[in-house]
Amino acid sequence: MTTRKLLEMLNSAIAREMQVSVQYMWQHVEWIGVKGYATKDAFEDIAKQEMKHAESIAERLFYLGGIPTTKPDPINVGKTLKEMIKQDVGDEAKAIAMYKEIIEIARKESDETTAFLFMQILKDEEDHHDTFTTLLEQV
Ligand SMILES: [Fe+2]
Ligand SMILES: [Fe+2]
């Protein structure tokens, strides 16, 4: 039996996946300048991955008896490229911390499937964090 706490955390994860999915896609749309040209594809690729994360987590939550939220966390697109990427580095760091916690709680509840799902997603978030951190050094 999944605890209410774990179900709520899965919904918090969905809210932030939807947030970053829109945030990165609008950053992809609103790019400007030479450096923006170099980063626009990364924003788009990562935005699509985040939408897939939202889907996978929602599938899992629904299977466990929860209803996926439709409300994203507050979206912060940013004005300059530096502002955008700085925001994204922070959001990825938050995801990494949150997903480590979810893995720990899922394991405590002997929910290996949820733990495994979040280990896969965590790997992507670390990649995103690495990408945005590297991009930030260049802007
Ligand atoms: Fe994600
Ligand atoms: Fe991410």
Side-chain angles (χ1 to χ4, degrees):
M1 185 65 193
T2 312
T3 59
R4 181 183 287 270
K5 180 172 185 192
L6 185 56
L7 294 178
E8 279 171 4
M9 287 200 77
L10 294 187
N11 245 337
S12 301
I14 292 168
R16 70 153 304 282
E17 291 292 349
M18 289 193 292
Q19 172 219 333
V20 292
S21 175
V22 176
Q23 185 171 302
Y24 302 162
M25 195 56 88
W26 286 182
Q27 289 170 342
H28 162 71
V29 168
E30 295 177 20
W31 68 275
I32 38 165
V34 173
K35 285 172 180 169
Y37 184 80
T39 53
K40 69 185 175 65
D41 292 344
F43 287 136
E44 184 190 15
D45 288 348
I46 298 176
K48 287 177 180 171
Q49 287 179 37
E50 308 296 19
M51 185 47 81
K52 283 185 183 156
H53 291 165
E55 181 195 7
S56 307
I57 301 166
E59 293 273 13
R60 185 68 190 155
L61 176 67
F62 192 67
Y63 173 77
L64 294 172
I67 299 293
T69 181
T70 55
K71 202 170 176 288
D73 280 345
I75 296 159
N76 300 296
V77 177
K79 292 247 186 310
T80 64
L81 194 60
K82 195 169 193 169
E83 246 176 60
M84 291 178 181
I85 300 172
K86 229 178 175 176
Q87 175 70 37
D88 300 350
V89 169
D91 283 327
E92 294 297 332
K94 270 188 229 157
I96 290 167
M98 185 198 277
Y99 295 174
K100 282 182 178 169
E101 203 187 333
I102 289 176
I103 292 167
E104 209 181 294
I105 294 168
R107 282 195 183 129
K108 271 189 200 146
E109 297 184 17
S110 302
D111 182 350
E112 295 303 324
T113 308
T114 299
F116 182 67
L117 172 66
F118 275 87
M119 280 166 66
Q120 291 172 308
I121 297 176
L122 179 61
K123 188 191 170 295
D124 290 343
E125 309 304 5
E126 285 180 354
D127 280 347
H128 302 165
H129 186 262
D130 183 39
T131 301
F132 287 133
T133 305
T134 308
L135 289 174
L136 192 60
E137 283 167 14
Q138 304 298 323
V139 291

